[in-house]
């Protein structure tokens, strides 16, 4: 018996899963472990930056007014009354024609309103007292980094949901986040199905293939920012499978099975979904590859039945699972980032379905060019390795030619897109 | 006393550090841990893919010759002699007008040379025997994925040095890499210097700032793919510092200190380098920010003295440390990836030095546009958080205007560039 399945549009399928977005959870981690996580609250400055008026250079702090008459012909001399390094505070007030030797980052002492760079001064010692002289005048404010000129206390610098990169780490350190609130990584379980599967450590056998999808998906889960948990391969026994799925669901936030979603007689997934009472959100999508992607929901948990075909499995994850993960990180742009590119070579085979062609991007004088990644049968794993984008080709009756503009979805990007599925349509020839 | 320093060109400074490239070391890690590492040997196929002729669909395997006379009016009927699932082998030879029910991924049985998709067949049972009929003819080879059509045994699929992404993980699994040879991550030590520094968990004090550079650099080290090891802050005592540096050097491959590299009286680094017998490769670079970046070498180990200024520190790492780390991963393109972009806004202040302006990239219809990231004083940390590129502005007497083409260096890219420093020059106005 062939089961009837009604394909739905990609955008509709994405919409259906997004309604089941996983609830955001927050945890606090030590600063350095927050790197490459997603910030769970707005980062506001707890202080001005700089938090005091400071010297950006090594030199001498002076009262600008004392420098007014200094020229090459008539240098003005200042009595050096002390020195101050970064991290220290000079307590006295500097008086007329006095100068304080000051290091980069040190606070401007009371009385001073300008800093003269060291290399523009001359020093001499008279009667055991050091003096320095300058041969030009300075305006008040010269070479002073004023309190708050970079950042004002209370200013929101980084929005909740931001990916934490080295620059964000610097801000977090500056504002005293020894511990950082980040979104918890959802745990995504992976079960491989298929009696043809060997694990990578097993020697090849006739009719069998090594399980590559489960490992690939685990890497995709990690790239999306979540934690992967592998449950191994399904048993051949349906009742055992049902128990395995129940057990896995109790340990994860999201469960992915690979394989077992097509209409072959040996595919258990529909029976399992029925047995555990999961609601199938869709089991066919009008796209290539990945048309037999199935998603079901049970008590708010999503179960993904991705294709056993590597390319279809890869696409299904990126379109339907990744945005759920990224949404759990508070991202307003959880979907694959969509941009425009120029098609790098002809892609002439027409197809009635929306296609996601794995592709490699490069720049031609700053212009994004997308070239299909090698041999493009949906069974080929080799081209997945070089792909860093999908070219989205809307279904239609004609092919696409080199240099035509196409939509691309970026795979190695952390920024994402809000909702890339509107207006994905055919372009007319340039 | 002001020490004399001779600035050298950026390209010359990079050349000097690259001569000290860290020796590649290899380790084997479990497959899933190889994700986001760098492959340490060429990955060659240990088998054909597919490794046997197989069915890409659920359907029936037949001898094509038997279908020659099938039409809508005169369907041809086949006796269904059995079925075969993926992972199994059908041992008998299929005879004339026999068909074998076959699942996706199962090996094509002996005798058969075509597969009819399930949905194009009709089945019926007569006298307890199942038959299926078709109403068109098929050529030999229809719907067969032939052995080796994706990949031939022995073919090199991935070059040594490749970044391991989910697609590469799939290939590694397919070819039996339960353990994967990857390049060892160099351990990069970080010491913060500066009497003004507080750690992020300390409350602010007058004249002091929180140490952001050390944490930022650790995040940069991790982004580059290495392991960061924090040694805390330097002592105020020179002799203790010398011991601290010696001890740190014995535990790391590369040592970075932040701060303490300018010509202020309190900077210990030159004295430390002298005391331990390190050779200073350069201590001034003709660039902004980061002109006081110092690199020294001792017994093949590199010691980086990066500026205490966050922007200068950031730039110094990306230009001079990152390529050393990436080279240790076998990358032929260890430097920041250089591309062309259009300047997103005017940048009119001329400067005689080559400048690295932190910038945010976006695409305008697939055209890369680089916009300086906010307030651009070199002391501002706030703009580092949003930057994902440097705009490289060669020194000269004039400013740059919106829409002019500029060179950019990409910060969040794993691909890199071979040697981005040739031909970095001024563009004439478009």
């Amino acid at each position: 018996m062939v089961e009837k399945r009604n394909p739905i549009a990609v955008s509709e399928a994405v919409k259906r899963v997004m309604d089941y977005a996983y609830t955001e959870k927050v945890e606090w981690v030590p600063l350095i472990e927050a790197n490459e996580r997603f910030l769970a609250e707005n980062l506001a400055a707890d202080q001005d930056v700089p938090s005091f008026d400071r010297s950006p250079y090594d030199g001498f702090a002076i009262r600008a007014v004392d420098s007014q008459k200094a020229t090459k012909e008539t240098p003005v001399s200042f009595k050096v009354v002390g020195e101050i390094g970064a991290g220290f505070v000079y307590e006295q007030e500097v008086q007329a024609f006095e100068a304080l030797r000051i290091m980069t980052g040190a606070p401007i002492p009371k009385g001073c309103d300008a800093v003269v760079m060291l290399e523009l001064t001359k020093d001499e010692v008279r009667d055991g007292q050091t003096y320095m002289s300058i041969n030009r005048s300075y305006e008040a404010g010269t070479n002073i980094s004023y309190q708050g000129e970079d950042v004002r206390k209370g200013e929101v610098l980084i929005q909740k949901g931001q990916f934490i990169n080295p620059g964000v780490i610097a801000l977090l350190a500056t504002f005293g986040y020894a511990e950082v609130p980040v979104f918890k990584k959802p745990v995504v379980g992976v079960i491989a199905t298929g009696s043809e599967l060997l694990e990578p450590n097993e020697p090849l056998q006739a009719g069998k293939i090594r399980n590559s999808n489960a490992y690939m998906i685990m890497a995709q889960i990690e790239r999306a920012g979540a934690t992967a948990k592998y449950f191994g391969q399904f048993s051949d026994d349906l009742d055992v499978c049902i128990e395995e799925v129940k057990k896995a669901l109790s340990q994860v936030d999201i469960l992915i099975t690979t394989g077992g979603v097509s209409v072959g007689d040996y595919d258990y997934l529909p029976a399992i979904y029925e047995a555990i009472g999961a609601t199938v959100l869709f089991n066919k999508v009008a796209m290539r590859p990945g048309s037999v992607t199935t998603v079901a929901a049970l008590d708010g948990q999503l179960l993904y039945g991705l294709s056993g075909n590597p390319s279809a499995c890869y696409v299904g994850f990126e379109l339907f699972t990744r945005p759920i993960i990224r949404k759990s990180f508070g991202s307003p742009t959880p979907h694959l980032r969509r941009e425009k590119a120029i098609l790098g070579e002809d892609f002439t085979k027409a197809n009635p379905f929306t296609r996601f062609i794995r592709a490699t991007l490069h720049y031609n004088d700053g212009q994004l060019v997308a070239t299909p990644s090698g041999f493009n049968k949906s069974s080929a794993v080799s081209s997945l390795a070089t792909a860093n984008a999908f070219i989205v080709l809307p279904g239609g009756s004609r092919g696409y030619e080199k240099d035509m503009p196409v939509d691309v979805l970026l795979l190695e990007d952390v920024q994402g897109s809000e909702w890339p599925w509107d207006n994905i349509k055919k372009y007319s020839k340039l």
Side-chain angles (χ1 to χ4, degrees), chain A residues 117-135:
Chain A
M117 292 170 79
L118 193 62
E119 45 270 52
L120 299 178
T121 65
K122 260 190 172 164
D123 60 348
E124 59 171 337
V125 179
R126 293 199 302 267
D127 302 333
Q129 170 64 47
T130 302
Y131 294 84
M132 77 88 184
S133 62
I134 55 179
N135 58 18

Side-chain angles (χ1 to χ4, degrees), chain A residues 377-418:
Chain A
K377 281 195 71 154
S378 73
S379 58
V381 291
S382 48
S383 64
L384 285 174
T386 50
N388 53 18
F390 297 134
I391 299 170
V392 187
L393 296 184
S397 54
R398 61 193 184 72
Y400 293 82
E401 287 164 37
K402 185 172 185 297
D403 294 335
M404 285 174 80
V406 287
D407 282 302
V408 290
L409 299 174
L410 276 49
L411 294 167
E412 295 175 351
D413 159 88
V414 291
Q415 185 176 319
S417 271
E418 203 171 334

Side-chain angles (χ1 to χ4, degrees), chain A residues 48-54 144-152:
Chain A
D48 289 337
V49 176
S51 63
F52 50 87
D53 296 348
R54 72 181 173 199
I144 293 183
S145 295
Y146 283 104
Q147 178 172 343
E149 75 173 19
D150 287 351
V151 176
R152 284 279 173 204

Side-chain angles (χ1 to χ4, degrees), chain A residues 282-344:
Chain A
F282 56 84
N283 59 17
K284 191 146 192 162
V285 186
M287 68 178 202
R288 295 286 184 276
S291 65
V292 292
T293 305
T294 296
V295 182
L298 177 63
D299 298 334
Q301 252 179 313
L302 286 174
L303 293 85
Y304 288 83
L306 301 181
S307 170
N309 170 297
S311 298
C313 184
Y314 190 101
V315 169
F317 176 89
E318 295 295 335
L319 299 191
F320 306 119
T321 318
R322 180 196 190 276
I324 292 288
I325 293 171
R326 285 288 165 91
K327 204 174 167 202
S328 82
F329 298 147
S331 174
T333 55
H335 304 279
L336 289 177
R337 179 169 171 184
R338 172 181 158 196
E339 296 292 348
K340 293 263 182 291
I342 295 299
L343 192 57

Side-chain angles (χ1 to χ4, degrees), chain A residues 89-278:
Chain A
V89 176
Y90 188 75
E91 299 292 353
Q92 292 101 298
E93 183 162 344
V94 174
Q95 305 296 324
F97 297 100
E98 289 182 352
L100 187 74
R101 178 81 175 88
I102 192 166
M103 309 302 164
T104 304
I108 306 297
K110 268 177 286 181
C112 293
D113 57 6
V115 169
V116 184
M117 292 170 79
L118 193 62
E119 45 270 52
L120 299 178
T121 65
K122 260 190 172 164
D123 60 348
E124 59 171 337
V125 179
R126 293 199 302 267
D127 302 333
Q129 170 64 47
T130 302
Y131 294 84
M132 77 88 184
S133 62
I134 55 179
N135 58 18
R136 51 156 287 200
S137 64
Y138 292 88
E139 283 180 31
T142 302
N143 293 333
I144 293 183
S145 295
Y146 283 104
Q147 178 172 343
E149 75 173 19
D150 287 351
V151 176
R152 284 279 173 204
K153 181 173 176 174
E155 201 179 313
V156 171
L157 297 169
I158 303 289
Q159 298 288 329
K160 168 182 159 174
Q162 164 86 37
F163 178 73
I164 298 176
N165 66 22
V168 177
I169 289 282
L171 286 182
L172 290 164
T174 299
F175 299 112
Y177 283 84
E179 306 258 319
V180 182
V182 295
F183 287 110
K184 252 192 160 157
K185 297 180 172 206
V187 178
V188 185
V190 178
I191 296 177
T193 83
S195 42
E196 75 278 26
L197 296 183
L198 302 167
E199 285 298 298
N201 61 352
E202 295 181 87
L204 268 195
Q205 298 168 29
K208 305 221 176 209
I209 60 170
R210 291 207 190 87
N211 171 15
S212 60
N213 286 358
Y215 294 91
M216 179 182 76
I217 284 289
M218 285 194 276
Q220 288 177 279
I221 290 167
E222 289 185 359
R223 182 167 68 186
T227 299
K229 187 174 168 70
Y230 186 38
F231 290 91
Q233 294 184 19
F234 256 157
S235 154
D236 282 341
D237 181 280
L238 180 58
D239 290 331
V240 176
C241 288
I242 292 168
E243 288 312 307
E244 284 172 341
V245 166
K246 282 186 186 167
K247 190 182 144 207
L249 277 174
S250 71
Q251 297 176 32
V252 300
D253 298 299
I254 293 168
L255 183 61
I256 293 175
T257 51
T258 70
V261 289
S262 70
V263 293
D265 290 3
Y266 295 0
D267 291 336
Y268 285 164
L269 272 197
I272 292 172
Y273 292 151
E274 202 183 317
I276 63 173

